[in-house]
Amino acid sequence: MTGPAKAAGVTRAEYCVVACAEAWRGDGEILASPMGTVPAIGARLAKLTFSPDLLLTDGEAMLIGDVPAVGSASELIEGWLPYRQHLAMVTGGKRHVMMGASQVDRFGNQNISCIGDWEQPKRQLLGSRGAPVNTLNNPTSYWVPRHSTRVFVAHVDMVSGVGYDRAAAAGKTATRFHEIRRVVSDLAVLDFDTPDRSMRIRSLHPGVSAQQVRDATGFPLVIPDDVPVTREPTDDELRLIREVIDPRALRDREVRA
């Protein structure tokens, strides 16, 4: 099973931008918190098209009223968003964050803390930071710019973000607001819309086969009989991506396929 070839002139990075943008579709007036270049472009694209009520920040402590190009300063500051208020939005479910993942497993447990045994890890990473609170209180998605068996693993070395199996084991207080909505990689879009909440392929980027995604994943994936292809950007979306949001083509540094 292979997706069709890419439309003429549309890059893999641009398909990834659209896939990230789609994660925020229908979210309404909540804070979009993209982490990474492609998610940042995706959030801005969603804001300028089908999710106009999304709230964006300058990446520090200000809510912005415009949609500047990635890497450019805002010219319209709407409000102050200090850290304490940001945390209140997180715990109140008024945010949808798209985080990175150094490791993620078939039930959506995510690791950004360390690689190897906790007692003596091989690599020290960021630390869990806000991942546990994010995953238990507001919608969370993940962005993986290099889909491989090093990232998509059978078991994460440490649970930073809580997956569906661990949330279920912890009970209703953990599952009440728990939602891992999407995992977007440079090969595919994945979700957990399965009976046991294990990861499945939601769509394949053009030119990518299901076997290619399977080979780059360290656990069994649910693969529907008829996997759709990640949708193409519209002409207007391409114009916004290329001329308004990311005129310096920073997206191509993160996804080179």
Side-chain angles (χ1 to χ4, degrees), residues 121-205:
K122 298 177 182 177
R123 296 286 186 274
Q124 178 65 53
L125 306 176
L126 290 172
S128 290
R129 300 173 70 87
V133 177
N134 290 339
T135 49
L136 293 184
N137 289 279
N138 55 225
T140 302
S141 296
Y142 295 121
W143 161 240
V144 179
R146 298 288 183 273
H147 194 130
S148 75
T149 54
R150 294 182 62 182
V151 178
F152 291 83
V153 297
H155 302 285
V156 298
D157 292 337
M158 177 182 171
V159 176
S160 301
V162 180
Y164 279 101
D165 57 341
R166 289 180 177 269
K172 292 183 178 179
T173 56
T175 59
R176 185 169 51 166
F177 304 116
H178 180 263
E179 180 189 358
I180 309 298
R181 186 173 298 175
R182 297 279 193 281
V183 179
V184 180
S185 80
D186 61 328
L187 299 182
V189 181
L190 307 112
D191 64 21
F192 303 89
D193 292 342
T194 56
D196 65 350
R197 292 296 196 176
S198 60
M199 192 183 293
R200 71 162 187 166
I201 299 178
R202 182 182 180 90
S203 71
L204 294 166
H205 300 332

Side-chain angles (χ1 to χ4, degrees), residues 8 15 24 29 64 82 124 128 138 155 157 174 206 209 211 224 226 241:
Y15 280 103
W24 281 286
E29 192 175 5
I64 60 175
Q124 178 65 53
S128 290
N138 55 225
H155 302 285
D157 292 337
S209 69
Q211 186 62 49
D226 187 16
I241 292 169

